[in-house]
Amino acid sequence: MAKVIVGMSGGVDSAVAAYLLKQQGHEVIGVTLRTWGSGDADEFSRCCEIDDARRSCEILGIRFHPHNCTGLFKEKVVHPFIDAYLEGLTPNPCIECNRYVKWAKLMELKDILQADYVATGHYAYIDKLDNGRYAVRKADQISKDQTYMLYKLTQEQLSKTLMPLGSYTKDEVRKTAEEAGLPCAHKVDSQEICFVTEGRYSDFISENTDKPLPKEGNFVDGEGNVLGRHKGIHQYTVGQRKGLGIALGYPAFVTKICPEDNTVVLGSEDALLCDSFICRDVNFQAIAEPSKGEKVRCLAKARYHQTERPATVESIGEGLVSVKLDEAVKGVSPGQSAVFYDEEGRVIGGGLIARS
């Protein structure tokens, strides 16, 4: 049996993960990473999450360690999130947090506490493949699958990680928590980005950066004709329809954000269709990084809630890949991530969408 560090968020998933591992005979230690708080990460913020995690550990009879990593979280997640919006991108901060904060700290604490593995309550499997590599694989309950958020995990991180919930449904997890006497059994799932709990992203950005905010500019159509004025490119995302503040007499969507000339392009819903794009900062899991010019057939999706489509990924050098979808999709947005899967639901790799 192993010694396992479990990342405890205060929610039901991580608590049940800890419970299952203890039932299997492992020595389990609960760790809560305090990443953010209301009002500039004040001392008592998010106390309910820490208290819930501590209470679960007490009931399970396992050790508990809260750990402050607010500084790292600001450096690796919050500041890049703000910078991305100021550059007209649409980031997904949870992906960055998983690799550069959660797993980075859990792996560090694993070494300090001389543990064998770290574990989380993510809905996913981790497979060791015949080629010796590790990859996350889709959970049985596809609606809860979280592999998209985990594509940046490294081989070292994956090789020392356990994910006990891959075969569970959410209902089964809550039932297990009830049977274990855990008070978080029916705690509501968190839906929002943890550091933007109220208001608009643009309000958060303006309150948390010293950098100059993007100025007003022009809404334009696909041919560059001026349609009206926008309030700053950080106020919009590709695919947005509501809250544009402009009436054109027909449904208009943000189809492109152009920081180079401070314009926001509006068009029809069909103008959102895209069948090819470039990804940067690519991380491969199930396979080693392809050589330049090598092509890989896969299933790809460009947003978390998107259905995968058949695609061809080609390495074009300098850490970039081109992605050609067999069928055009909506919602391909620079700053979001595209993730590539094999037929068994394993993550081949993924990267940040640089441009379409």
Side-chain angles (χ1 to χ4, degrees), residues 35-319:
T35 55
W36 186 255
S38 57
D40 194 28
D42 65 82
E43 182 180 357
F44 302 103
S45 60
R46 306 202 73 190
C47 58
C48 57
E49 284 89 344
I50 293 176
D51 287 347
D52 287 347
R54 179 184 288 109
R55 181 60 180 151
S56 292
C57 289
E58 289 173 351
I59 291 171
L60 295 175
I62 63 177
R63 292 160 57 190
F64 174 72
H65 294 276
H67 189 77
N68 188 343
C69 52
T70 52
L72 180 66
F73 187 76
K74 282 187 176 181
E75 175 191 350
K76 297 296 186 180
V77 179
V78 179
H79 293 163
F81 170 87
I82 292 173
D83 291 345
Y85 264 101
L86 294 180
E87 294 168 8
L89 304 175
T90 306
N92 192 322
C94 297
I95 293 174
E96 305 304 309
C97 180
N98 280 333
R99 174 168 174 175
Y100 297 110
V101 180
K102 290 181 180 177
W103 260 266
K105 277 298 177 183
L106 288 174
M107 293 287 283
E108 179 184 314
L109 291 169
K110 175 185 74 69
D111 293 339
I112 292 173
L113 297 173
Q114 298 181 319
D116 302 292
Y117 294 96
V118 303
T120 68
H122 286 89
Y123 288 84
Y125 291 98
I126 297 178
D127 289 347
K128 184 176 182 181
L129 309 180
D130 292 341
N131 62 6
R133 295 182 67 85
Y134 292 83
V136 290
R137 175 166 53 91
K138 286 185 177 182
D140 290 354
Q141 186 180 1
I142 295 300
S143 63
K144 296 300 294 181
D145 172 65
Q146 293 173 296
T147 52
Y148 177 90
M149 298 293 185
L150 303 170
Y151 83 84
K152 277 200 172 185
L153 298 186
T154 67
Q155 291 297 293
E156 179 185 6
Q157 290 170 336
L158 290 171
S159 70
K160 297 296 182 182
T161 299
L162 305 175
M163 292 182 184
L165 301 188
S167 64
Y168 282 72
T169 66
K170 187 71 178 193
D171 288 343
E172 289 170 339
V173 166
R174 293 196 183 279
K175 183 178 179 181
T176 301
E178 283 183 347
E179 294 171 350
L182 295 170
C184 58
H186 296 286
K187 187 174 181 179
V188 177
D189 291 340
S190 175
Q191 299 292 332
E192 301 296 328
I193 294 175
C194 66
F195 56 90
V196 188
T197 56
E198 297 180 0
R200 293 160 47 90
Y201 290 171
S202 56
D203 295 332
F204 173 85
I205 291 168
S206 63
E207 293 168 2
N208 288 275
T209 185
D210 295 328
K211 296 183 178 180
L213 297 177
K215 297 180 180 180
E216 293 184 359
N218 289 328
F219 282 122
V220 299
D221 63 18
E223 286 71 47
N225 300 307
V226 176
L227 303 173
R229 298 287 286 174
H230 68 69
K231 298 178 182 179
I233 59 173
H234 65 300
Q235 308 255 15
Y236 309 93
T237 59
V238 171
Q240 180 179 340
R241 177 184 175 185
K242 296 181 179 180
L244 299 180
I246 185 173
L248 298 176
Y250 57 87
F253 298 79
V254 174
T255 62
K256 190 175 182 181
I257 298 172
C258 305
E260 62 274 10
D261 61 4
N262 195 32
T263 59
V264 175
V265 183
L266 302 181
S268 67
E269 190 172 8
D270 287 344
L272 291 170
L273 289 170
C274 175
D275 66 359
S276 61
F277 50 91
I278 304 295
C279 286
R280 61 178 174 86
D281 300 335
V282 182
N283 182 61
F284 287 94
Q285 289 189 355
I287 64 172
E289 182 176 352
S291 56
K292 185 176 181 180
E294 185 177 349
K295 297 181 179 181
V296 178
R297 285 294 291 174
C298 64
L299 299 170
K301 66 177 181 178
R303 280 184 181 269
Y304 179 45
H305 292 295
Q306 200 174 72
T307 301
E308 301 89 51
R309 300 288 196 282
T312 299
V313 174
E314 179 181 356
S315 174
I316 57 177
E318 299 181 355

